């Protein structure tokens, strides 16, 4: 029998794996303890990575949190792209967009980003780092769904209005959900909004 040699992992592979562990642990600690409670030591402990390895990759807490937030929203972009490419997206664009928004603003991506944004309000350096991440997500998401609405035959101006109204409705509910965990309550109003929006779309056909 031939002996199969184990494939040695490159330094780049090991570095990428370590960073993935650190970023996942950052989100875990951020959701559990908030931004103020997050420490480099706690992230190292949660990730199983040494303090020295952590400091090798990330110089400070802000750098770590910003990259973790960026990772979260890159995942959200990929998820939104998949949703927008489904066969039913152009048939029911409002429902598709709201479902995409709910997967972000009713779940951990929004909570993780919110922890950073609240602190960044009075921290110009952190704001300068986190704002491009949030803007990239918003612009990319809008482009994805504007394409879906275009395929559905909705004029760009009307599509932009419906997208922004839907986004702000879901995002506002996401904030309210921090203290009122009653998804059935939110679903009632979302269904009403979907009906109203679809009536507008029907008038355009």
């Amino acid at each position: 029998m031939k002996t199969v040699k184990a494939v040695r992992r490159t330094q780049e592979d090991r570095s990428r794996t370590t960073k993935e562990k650190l970023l996942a642990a950052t989100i875990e600690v951020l959701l559990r303890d908030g931004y103020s409670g997050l420490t480099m030591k706690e992230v190292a402990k949660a990730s199983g990575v040494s303090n020295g390895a952590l400091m090798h990759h990330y110089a400070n807490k802000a750098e770590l949190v910003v990259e973790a937030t960026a990772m979260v929203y890159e995942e959200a972009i990929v998820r939104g792209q998949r949703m927008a490419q489904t066969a039913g997206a152009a048939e029911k664009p409002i429902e598709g967009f709201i479902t995409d928004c709910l997967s972000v603003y009713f779940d951990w991506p929004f909570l993780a980003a919110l922890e950073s944004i609240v602190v960044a309000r009075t921290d110009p350096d952190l704001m300068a780092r986190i704002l491009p991440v949030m803007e990239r997500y918003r612009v990319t998401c809008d482009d994805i769904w504007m394409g879906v609405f275009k395929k559905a035959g909705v004029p760009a101006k009307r599509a932009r209005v419906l997208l922004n109204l839907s986004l702000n409705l879901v995002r506002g509910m996401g904030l309210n959900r921090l203290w009122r965990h009653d998804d059935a309550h939110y679903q009632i109003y979302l269904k009403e909004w979907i009906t109203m929006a679809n009536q507008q779309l029907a008038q355009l056909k």
Side-chain angles (χ1 to χ4, degrees):
M1 292 180 64
K2 292 183 178 180
T3 302
V4 179
K5 292 184 178 180
V7 178
R8 294 187 64 183
R9 298 175 67 210
T10 65
Q11 179 60 38
E12 184 180 348
D13 289 336
R14 290 194 293 271
S15 179
R16 182 170 55 250
T17 299
T18 298
K19 290 181 75 172
E20 287 172 354
K21 287 181 180 179
L22 289 169
L23 295 178
T26 299
I27 297 301
E28 176 189 330
V29 176
L30 193 61
L31 292 176
R32 187 186 68 213
D33 302 333
Y35 188 93
S36 62
L38 184 147
T39 64
M40 301 286 275
K41 182 178 179 181
E42 192 61 32
V43 169
K45 178 181 176 182
S47 66
V49 173
S50 69
N51 286 320
L54 169 57
M55 296 303 296
H56 172 73
H57 289 288
Y58 299 101
N60 53 57
K61 172 171 143 177
E63 187 178 312
L64 183 61
V65 169
V66 168
E67 189 161 337
T69 304
M71 180 191 74
V72 167
Y73 276 93
E74 287 301 318
E75 290 179 6
I77 287 172
V78 171
R79 191 166 54 200
Q81 288 171 330
R82 283 200 298 263
M83 195 174 298
Q85 290 167 0
T86 60
E91 296 175 9
K92 295 183 177 181
I94 288 290
E95 287 91 329
F97 179 65
I98 287 178
T99 299
D100 187 19
C101 287
L102 288 171
S103 73
V104 173
Y105 295 104
F106 271 40
D107 211 336
W108 61 274
F110 181 50
L111 295 177
L114 194 60
E115 288 289 341
S116 305
I117 288 294
V118 170
V119 175
R121 185 181 67 84
T122 54
D123 184 337
D125 179 61
L126 180 59
M127 181 61 81
R129 296 183 186 202
I130 201 74
L131 196 57
V133 172
M134 307 302 291
E135 288 179 340
R136 167 173 162 70
Y137 169 70
R138 189 71 268 141
V139 169
T140 305
C141 187
D142 284 352
D143 286 346
I144 290 169
W145 286 99
M146 283 295 289
V148 173
F149 275 70
K150 181 179 180 180
K151 190 181 294 186
V154 182
K157 185 176 181 180
R158 178 49 43 186
R160 183 72 64 185
V161 170
L162 291 173
L163 283 175
N164 277 299
L165 287 173
S166 299
L167 166 65
N168 283 286
L169 178 64
V170 175
R171 188 162 52 192
M173 288 179 174
L175 278 173
N176 196 72
R177 196 168 176 267
L178 293 176
W179 59 86
R180 180 173 181 176
H181 297 281
D182 186 357
D183 286 2
H185 169 81
Y186 303 122
Q187 287 297 330
I188 290 172
Y189 293 102
L190 286 172
K191 287 179 181 178
E192 286 291 331
W193 167 241
I194 289 171
T195 298
M196 293 166 62
N198 281 330
Q199 287 173 349
Q200 286 195 29
L201 294 181
Q203 292 173 5
L204 298 173
K205 297 179 180 180

